[in-house]
Structure formats: C-alpha cells, structure tokens
Amino acid sequence: MTDFRDRSKSLLEMATEASLEAIENAGAEEEDFDAIYFANMASGAFNSQTAVASAIADQLNLVPAGAHRIENGPASGGSAIRSAFMGVASGIQDLVLVVGAEKMSDVSGAIATDILASMNHPKAEYKHGVPMPGMGALFTRLYMEQYGVTEDQLAAAAVKNHTNATKNPKAQLRHKPATIQGVKDSIMIADPIRLYHTCPVTDGSAALVVCPADKAGEFTDKPIQIVGSGQATDIQALEEREDPLKLRSVEIAANEAFEMAGLKREDIDVIETHDAFITLELAEIEAAGFFQPGEAGKATLEGKTAIDGELPVNPSGGLKARGHAVGATGIAQAVEIITQLRSEAGERQVKDARTGFCCNFGGFGNNTVIHILRRM
Amino acid sequence: MTDFRDRSKSLLEMATEASLEAIENAGAEEEDFDAIYFANMASGAFNSQTAVASAIADQLNLVPAGAHRIENGPASGGSAIRSAFMGVASGIQDLVLVVGAEKMSDVSGAIATDILASMNHPKAEYKHGVPMPGMGALFTRLYMEQYGVTEDQLAAAAVKNHTNATKNPKAQLRHKPATIQGVKDSIMIADPIRLYHTCPVTDGSAALVVCPADKAGEFTDKPIQIVGSGQATDIQALEEREDPLKLRSVEIAANEAFEMAGLKREDIDVIETHDAFITLELAEIEAAGFFQPGEAGKATLEGKTAIDGELPVNPSGGLKARGHAVGATGIAQAVEIITQLRSEAGERQVKDARTGFCCNFGGFGNNTVIHILRRM
C-alpha cells in the first residue's frame, strides 16, 4: 500500500504503485494475471475519470487481463476482494490483482463531504443536506444514551488508534498521538462528534494478489488464506430501520463469514474494523459478536482492544488515524491483517496472530463486507 | 427491461421496474436472492448518487442480499453478467439479480458528452478535449480508407438497425425508420460521423435472474444457459495501439468465450453487438471472427446481417436505434438474445435461433466483455 500521508500522486499513480508492490511481493509474472478488480468509490466525481480499471491494466502492462471497477461506497474494497475470491473459486480465474484507490484531495473538503453524502438515501437523507458526519452524530448520540457509553470511552478508542498509527509508517496521522483530554477538547464537527472522533480525508491505494490456495506456495513462503467471506445489505435510511443502533448487515455478514470458515469468535486474534467515526468501531465489534451491545467502550477503556490486549482492534490505526482513502480502505484492512498474520508488523505486531477479521462497512451500515483471513 | 424511450423515471425507479419484471418472469421469491450486481457507468456524475446497489436491494426488498455496483464504462453490463456467472459458478451464490441502469437525461447533452469522455485516456485524449464522437470519427475515417468501406455500407448498417427497432416495442427510436439517402443526408457530428451513425442519449434499465443451470428449470420452462464468457483489455489510448483498427480485446474475449463454450463461429444464430457508432458494429463482428476484416460492410449492404439474413446482427435495433443507456446496455443485449432464444421476439424473431452472441464494448475497445448464450 502507498503512504496514506502522501498527496503528491494521481489516482493512477497511486494504484500503480500499490499494485507493483503487491505483484513484486508475490514474484508474479505480468502475463499470468487473468483479472484486475479495482475498488474505487467516486473517481468520476473526484477526478473526472471513469472506466479506470482498464486504464490500470494498461499502466501495469497486464493487458489483456480482464478488468472492471467495483463500487460499493466505503465497502468497495471488501467487495473487490470478494469478487476476486469468487473469480478464483469459480475456477475461471487463477491469478488476480485486487487494487483499491481513492484520490480525494483533488476537490475541496466541502465538495468531498458532498460526494461522500451522495451514498445516503437520496430523498430521506441527501436531499435534506445530511452529510456523513451528521449521520455519525445522530447515531453516536443515540448510542451514548441507549447504553450509557461515556465520552471517555469514545475518546479511549480514538487514543488507541492514534497510538497504533504512530507505529505504522504508512499511516496518515502517524505524527499525531492523542490523549483522552485532547480528544475531548478537540473542535466539535457535528455534536457529539468531534474532530478526533472522525477519520480524515485521505489519498491512498492498497493492493493484493489472490490465487487458488493450492498455488499460493508458488508466490510466497507465508501464504494467507481467505477462509471466510460474508456480505449483507440493510434498509438504506437509518430512520426506517427497526432499531437504528442494530447494525444488522454487520451481524449477518459476520455470521456468513464465520460459517464459511468453520471458526468461532474466540478464534480471532486481530481485527481491523471500519471506524469512519470512532463510535462505529465499538458498534461494529459488538454487532459482529465480539462484545455484548454497549460493552465495547468499557472494554476499550480497560485496554482490552489495544495491541497487547485480549483482542487487538485496528492495530493499523484504523480509518481514524491510518486514514480512509475510501475505495482503498477495505483492501488496506486486509493488507494490515496479512502483515500481522505474516508477523511483519514491526512495532505494532500482535503476538501470535494466526487468524484475523476485517469489517468493511458501507453507507451508514447498509452494506457490509467481512473477510476472515488465516495463516496457512 | 424498461421502455428506452421513456424519460419520466429516476435511476432507482427504472432499476426497480426492470428488476421486478425479471423477478416476476422467473417467479423467484425475494428471500431467495443471495446477491445483486448493479451495472452503471456514472450515477455519481449524472445523478449525484453513489452506492446505489444497496439502495436497489432496499427498494426491491431483497435485503440482506449482498449488493455492489460494477462499473466498466459502456461494458459495465457485460461485466455484471460475468460477475454473476462467477458468483454462481463459485458455489457461493445460488440466485442472483443482475440489473443495469443509466439515467443520462438529468444533465445536458454537452455535460453527458463530457461525462462519457471521462473514460478516455486522461492525458492522451480527455485533456485535449477528444469526446467519444471524435474517437469514433478518427476510427471511422481510418477504417473507410484502409478497407475501402463506403458511405453506403455504413448507412446500410444504420438503416438495418433503425428498421429492426421499428419492430421492438422497447426501442428508443422505434418511430424513426431510416433510408440510405436519409442517413447520408443527416447532419455531420464529427466528420465522417453523422447523426444517423451514432447512438442517442438514453435512459433505461435491463435485468436478468441468474442461477445454477441445474436449478433453472425451477424458474422457467425456457431456460437459457451462459455457455461462454470472455473478457479482455487493450492499450487505453487508441494512438498507442500497434494497429488502431485491430480490436484486440474483442478478438481475445471472443476466443475465450468460444473456447469455454466449445462452440464455433458458425454455431451462432444471432448477434447483439455494441454499435455506439455504426462503424463499430462492422469492426466488432470482424474482430470477433464472423467476417474477414473490411468485409462486414459489404455483407451488410447485401442483407446478410438482416433479421432474415444468414447471420442477423442487432435485431433489437442495437445501440443505434434501441438506445444506449450506458450501464444497462450489456444487459439489454443479453435480454434481446434471451428473448430471441425463447422465440418471444415477435415481429423481429430470428428463425430457429438456438445460440446467441453478445459483445459489450467499453472505452474505445480497451475493455470488451463477451457472452455466448444457448437454449438448454
């Protein structure tokens, strides 16, 4: 993956850089690639570029490999991994590049906020000017009230992720450690969401090479297997859901992935989850079945989700501090899990990590893609 | 599929209408759907809407079926069919909705032309203001010069497609029959491309239901099998290709699809191909191996590709006259082939059609997806 702090490169340059790193890491030959899945949310709006997947095939000299783009809002990366997984599982494709990228800094922050808001319900939400931070604020207020989650608990999750990011040389906010008081004093974005509760606007790309498990040994001494894949949708408008705090798409996608993997929650050693707002980290690991509803904040404050805790969450720094280059995010989560499972995470290494879990969350939870990865 | 002449509906309304027709035709139950693949080129730019796939899942009451959008420029529809095919072939998905839609009339014609041009090479083409008709004109000029293709031959292909469209109740230009002289007298768009050589701007949607072949009997008395699927990319910039007239992605994708199907060119009874500019119909059926280079125009003028000819091409009216709702096009091609193979095409029925071929062409030939469909 690229350095998520770097804003100097174009969409295509970033996608090429991450792809070449992945291809080189696998020692794969250009002519052996059957397909490219490119995850990206909004290159048309951000960069006036469409049909970018085939441009990437050309840039990487992977022509005539088939290529298309997968768009699923912030869950585009997870959807692209799932597409590659099914392409290989179908027997039709044997060597596949998955690459996600987003170049958000070509537009102003206000325009970026508008482009991101375009994933909300057009009549119930977008038309009324509700951007993502507004959705995050409504959700967070209800979540705090319903479960008695405190400002300190939310701040503890943000501090953990900022701390983890200081140990990740690719993280966007790696030079920005945070304190609980600092988070609580940061400026209000959308009450009760503060600056240090939200992810930044990010440019970045991440890539993977996927092949059949029985061929993985040809490309690496440390193969990592996709043992579970799950995806689910939910009612789009938050207000129309029976219980807006219940992230049903996370629950269903997690159950599907665990069933495919034949594993249990306690088999998971490390988690990357989709903390676009820090509240979502807590709500997602609850919905995925790792904590009881309302309990994740307390566990976080007690250090249970730190790198040296019982169940490390977002050792990369998460969307919060590694950054959230939207189309790249789901793939960056998998890159972090793979790095952990290969024991190559340096200062942020989770001890004895053998099995990892990625939760890539789209819209405001109306589309979640989950993967479980395991050391072979 | 929706009536491609109708501009009264929103993107979501059209996608819902086509999907419900497909689901009803299959007699499938909402709760049995595992996934939705939504093909669309540029809803962000055309309609300020992204992450539309999950909105469709919600609209159709197919939640929690997994959903994402496939974008591959004008080849988005073919890519979505291929994704569904692989999802089912992988054994992970058993009942899948494929739906494509584009709502282009929300913006002016000039803006639509700009949005479509965003699929061209950003530095070699788009930046210099070359829109798609400009690419079509350069290609057509070279094609006419190289092979001695005449204005009458080009016009004959357009007249055939306009004639076919008069027999298609869903075609956009069904009330616009054409004559060779009329085509040659129509206004110049980009020399030598005239109005009657180019497809219109279209709103529309088309949908399919895909399942394992051995379960198809549960949903229809007339099952149609996807027996071949191929996809290939090419160098993006037309000027960088060794021979700009050689549509390599079409050739490679066609070979892949025929190899998978175990069929020969002469087994094909009916073709839908991607005549965004009428020249492309001729060049594609040559590249796909049905005619020698430069011979398709002559064959067309002789009536060989008419509905009652030896090898009927674009009985629907093609992009030229059925219309080109970009993200829907690849799926509308398959809908026409399925209608033909089921002997349900009424006045435009191709006699004894058992095997059909769809060529969905993206960018200016830098990404082609081909499917071969067969009556089971």
Side-chain angles (χ1 to χ4, degrees), chain B residues 133-134 136-138 140-141 144 150-152 154-155 158 162 173 179-200 275-279 320:
Chain B
L138 292 165
T140 300
R141 173 68 71 205
M144 292 174 81
T150 65
E151 279 191 55
D152 278 10
L154 289 182
H162 275 266
L173 303 181
T179 62
I180 288 195
Q181 197 55 47
V183 173
K184 287 163 72 178
D185 289 345
S186 67
I187 60 164
M188 194 67 86
I189 303 288
D191 191 359
I193 293 278
R194 294 178 181 275
L195 182 64
Y196 272 75
H197 295 141
T198 72
C199 63
D275 55 327
F277 304 103
I278 202 66
T279 332
K320 179 67 214 66

XYZ file of all heavy atoms in Angstrom, chain B residues 133-134 136-138 140-141 144 150-152 154-155 158 162 173 179-200 275-279 320:
333
model
N -17.475 10.918 -29.869
C -17.695 11.026 -31.311
C -16.408 11.369 -32.068
O -16.227 10.950 -33.215
C -18.739 12.152 -31.432
C -19.424 12.162 -30.099
C -18.365 11.810 -29.102
N -15.504 12.105 -31.416
C -14.212 12.403 -32.047
C -13.404 11.126 -32.262
O -12.794 10.918 -33.325
N -14.715 8.135 -32.471
C -15.445 7.377 -33.495
C -15.117 7.875 -34.897
O -14.983 7.091 -35.839
N -14.967 9.199 -35.019
C -14.675 9.791 -36.326
C -13.279 9.385 -36.815
O -13.100 8.982 -37.963
C -14.774 11.310 -36.233
N -12.291 9.454 -35.918
C -10.918 9.087 -36.300
C -10.878 7.620 -36.728
O -10.264 7.259 -37.731
C -9.965 9.311 -35.106
C -9.731 10.764 -34.693
C -9.090 10.840 -33.307
C -8.842 11.470 -35.719
N -13.406 5.768 -37.780
C -14.198 5.531 -38.987
C -13.443 5.968 -40.242
O -13.428 5.271 -41.260
C -15.549 6.272 -38.884
O -16.243 5.766 -37.744
C -16.399 6.067 -40.136
N -12.800 7.122 -40.158
C -12.033 7.626 -41.310
C -10.962 6.607 -41.719
O -10.826 6.230 -42.879
C -11.394 8.982 -40.935
C -10.450 9.552 -41.953
C -11.155 9.986 -43.245
N -11.975 11.169 -43.073
C -13.021 11.466 -43.845
N -13.386 10.652 -44.833
N -13.718 12.555 -43.634
N -12.544 3.359 -43.177
C -13.030 3.528 -44.559
C -11.857 3.527 -45.545
O -11.903 2.886 -46.594
C -13.842 4.825 -44.689
C -15.164 4.787 -43.920
S -16.057 6.378 -43.929
C -16.853 6.304 -45.554
N -17.542 1.876 -47.841
C -18.221 3.029 -48.458
C -19.273 3.631 -47.512
O -19.714 2.999 -46.547
C -18.938 2.593 -49.742
O -19.988 1.679 -49.380
C -17.967 1.918 -50.699
N -19.661 4.845 -47.858
C -20.732 5.515 -47.100
C -22.017 4.703 -47.163
O -22.778 4.638 -46.198
C -20.980 6.913 -47.673
C -19.978 7.943 -47.191
C -20.430 9.353 -47.578
O -21.562 9.737 -47.221
O -19.641 10.051 -48.244
N -22.278 4.092 -48.319
C -23.486 3.280 -48.466
C -23.454 2.062 -47.538
O -24.485 1.661 -46.987
C -23.646 2.798 -49.920
C -24.284 3.865 -50.799
O -24.418 5.021 -50.338
O -24.641 3.541 -51.943
N -21.848 1.813 -44.605
C -22.115 2.307 -43.241
C -23.609 2.594 -43.087
O -24.250 2.212 -42.098
C -21.335 3.589 -42.951
C -19.818 3.496 -42.784
C -19.266 4.882 -42.448
C -19.443 2.511 -41.681
N -24.161 3.290 -44.077
C -25.572 3.674 -44.000
C -26.466 2.437 -43.952
O -27.478 2.409 -43.230
C -25.939 4.558 -45.187
N -26.836 1.208 -40.467
C -27.721 2.084 -39.695
C -29.176 1.858 -40.077
O -30.061 1.762 -39.210
C -27.320 3.546 -39.911
N -32.216 0.699 -37.616
C -33.440 1.511 -37.479
C -34.670 0.692 -37.873
O -35.720 0.796 -37.238
C -33.339 2.787 -38.323
C -32.636 3.913 -37.605
N -33.304 4.873 -36.888
C -31.316 4.208 -37.477
C -32.429 5.727 -36.356
N -31.210 5.347 -36.703
N -35.800 4.545 -30.644
C -36.086 5.195 -31.934
C -37.028 4.346 -32.789
O -36.885 4.271 -34.005
C -34.761 5.487 -32.664
C -33.759 6.354 -31.883
C -32.487 6.605 -32.696
C -34.374 7.684 -31.448
N -33.561 5.688 -44.236
C -33.197 5.231 -45.583
C -31.714 5.530 -45.793
O -31.145 6.383 -45.093
C -33.979 5.995 -46.669
O -33.623 7.391 -46.556
C -35.483 5.851 -46.471
N -31.111 4.855 -46.758
C -29.687 5.092 -47.027
C -29.456 6.562 -47.363
O -28.549 7.205 -46.821
C -29.201 4.148 -48.160
C -29.144 2.718 -47.575
C -27.844 4.597 -48.705
C -28.366 1.714 -48.376
N -30.298 7.122 -48.207
C -30.110 8.528 -48.554
C -30.315 9.423 -47.332
O -29.586 10.394 -47.137
C -31.068 8.932 -49.694
C -30.674 10.219 -50.402
C -29.231 10.174 -50.926
O -28.815 9.207 -51.554
N -28.456 11.207 -50.634
N -31.296 9.061 -46.488
C -31.558 9.843 -45.279
C -30.355 9.845 -44.341
O -29.997 10.879 -43.762
N -29.728 8.688 -44.178
C -28.529 8.605 -43.316
C -27.436 9.498 -43.893
O -26.796 10.279 -43.170
C -28.031 7.144 -43.211
C -26.704 7.088 -42.471
C -29.073 6.262 -42.513
N -27.240 9.404 -45.221
C -26.152 10.159 -45.867
C -26.422 11.663 -45.860
O -25.483 12.468 -45.969
C -25.950 9.652 -47.301
C -25.271 8.278 -47.330
C -25.416 7.574 -48.673
C -24.566 8.207 -49.754
N -24.710 7.456 -51.034
N -27.675 12.045 -45.735
C -28.030 13.470 -45.686
C -28.124 14.018 -44.267
O -28.326 15.219 -44.084
C -29.385 13.694 -46.375
C -29.296 13.520 -47.896
O -28.156 13.524 -48.421
O -30.347 13.362 -48.536
N -28.015 13.140 -43.268
C -28.194 13.629 -41.884
C -26.997 14.490 -41.472
O -25.926 14.421 -42.084
C -28.400 12.449 -40.930
O -27.242 11.652 -40.827
N -27.205 15.319 -40.453
C -26.172 16.316 -40.120
C -24.874 15.664 -39.663
O -24.867 14.579 -39.092
C -26.640 17.326 -39.040
C -27.011 16.617 -37.739
C -27.773 18.212 -39.538
C -27.112 17.554 -36.559
N -23.774 16.351 -39.950
C -22.448 15.871 -39.573
C -22.217 16.166 -38.087
O -22.433 17.284 -37.624
C -21.395 16.592 -40.423
C -20.029 15.974 -40.371
S -19.977 14.335 -41.153
C -19.695 14.780 -42.872
N -21.765 15.143 -37.344
C -21.443 15.315 -35.918
C -19.939 15.500 -35.754
O -19.468 16.433 -35.094
C -21.880 14.056 -35.113
C -23.361 13.756 -35.286
C -21.505 14.205 -33.653
C -24.298 14.700 -34.611
N -19.173 14.611 -36.319
C -17.708 14.674 -36.271
C -17.269 13.928 -37.532
O -17.333 12.702 -37.562
C -17.174 14.002 -35.011
N -16.887 14.659 -38.545
C -16.600 14.126 -39.883
C -15.714 12.876 -39.822
O -14.627 12.937 -39.239
C -15.905 15.251 -40.690
C -15.793 14.910 -42.162
O -16.227 13.822 -42.562
O -15.253 15.758 -42.914
N -16.109 11.731 -40.351
C -17.277 11.455 -41.207
C -18.514 10.905 -40.487
O -19.384 10.337 -41.131
C -16.719 10.379 -42.143
C -15.805 9.587 -41.267
C -15.225 10.559 -40.268
N -18.570 11.060 -39.142
C -19.695 10.520 -38.372
C -20.890 11.495 -38.453
O -20.763 12.670 -38.088
C -19.294 10.334 -36.893
C -18.243 9.239 -36.744
C -20.513 10.052 -36.019
C -18.777 7.855 -36.712
N -22.031 10.968 -38.903
C -23.261 11.766 -38.994
C -24.242 11.340 -37.890
O -24.064 10.303 -37.249
C -23.912 11.552 -40.364
C -23.081 12.094 -41.513
C -23.720 11.825 -42.867
N -22.869 12.337 -43.942
C -22.885 13.605 -44.385
N -23.731 14.484 -43.860
N -22.072 13.993 -45.340
N -25.281 12.145 -37.747
C -26.278 11.870 -36.703
C -26.775 10.425 -36.748
O -26.855 9.752 -35.720
C -27.464 12.836 -36.861
C -28.563 12.694 -35.795
C -28.044 13.046 -34.409
C -29.766 13.573 -36.137
N -27.082 9.930 -37.945
C -27.642 8.577 -38.063
C -26.582 7.475 -37.994
O -26.896 6.296 -38.133
C -28.506 8.459 -39.338
C -29.935 8.860 -39.081
C -30.288 10.199 -38.931
C -30.947 7.906 -38.943
C -31.589 10.588 -38.669
C -32.259 8.278 -38.680
C -32.572 9.615 -38.543
O -33.868 9.983 -38.273
N -25.315 7.868 -37.760
C -24.272 6.869 -37.471
C -24.093 6.644 -35.982
O -23.335 5.761 -35.587
C -22.906 7.331 -38.032
C -22.843 7.429 -39.515
N -22.171 8.439 -40.153
C -23.370 6.650 -40.497
C -22.271 8.279 -41.482
N -22.995 7.198 -41.702
N -24.702 7.489 -35.167
C -24.387 7.448 -33.726
C -25.610 7.062 -32.903
O -26.744 7.299 -33.305
C -23.919 8.832 -33.218
O -25.058 9.697 -33.181
C -22.866 9.439 -34.096
N -25.328 6.497 -31.720
C -26.407 6.146 -30.806
C -26.938 7.409 -30.127
O -26.219 8.406 -30.033
C -25.896 5.170 -29.754
S -24.615 5.857 -28.706
N -28.176 7.384 -29.662
C -28.716 8.526 -28.920
C -28.311 8.481 -27.451
O -27.708 7.511 -26.992
C -30.229 8.326 -29.061
C -30.402 6.839 -29.160
C -29.172 6.311 -29.848
N -22.866 -1.132 -31.218
C -22.765 -0.130 -32.275
C -23.013 1.282 -31.760
O -23.908 1.985 -32.236
C -23.744 -0.470 -33.406
C -25.185 -0.610 -32.895
O -25.355 -1.061 -31.739
O -26.124 -0.261 -33.619
N -22.191 1.715 -30.787
C -22.296 3.087 -30.295
C -22.076 4.041 -31.471
O -22.694 5.109 -31.552
C -21.271 3.331 -29.200
N -21.158 3.676 -32.364
C -21.043 4.270 -33.699
C -21.202 3.113 -34.663
O -20.696 2.024 -34.400
C -19.693 4.973 -33.875
C -19.482 5.999 -32.814
C -18.635 5.749 -31.747
C -20.187 7.191 -32.844
C -18.494 6.675 -30.736
C -20.048 8.122 -31.831
C -19.202 7.862 -30.773
N -21.879 3.335 -35.755
C -22.265 2.215 -36.625
C -21.039 1.467 -37.140
O -21.081 0.257 -37.340
C -23.208 2.702 -37.753
C -24.008 1.526 -38.282
C -22.461 3.438 -38.844
C -24.982 0.943 -37.281
N -19.924 2.206 -37.306
C -18.679 1.568 -37.746
C -18.282 0.430 -36.811
O -17.704 -0.570 -37.238
C -17.530 2.606 -37.753
O -18.074 3.903 -37.975
C -16.490 2.265 -38.782
N -27.633 1.849 -31.683
C -28.029 2.848 -32.669
C -29.491 3.262 -32.544
O -29.811 4.446 -32.571
C -27.759 2.272 -34.080
C -28.128 3.168 -35.228
C -27.234 4.374 -35.235
C -27.858 5.657 -35.700
N -28.901 6.237 -34.885
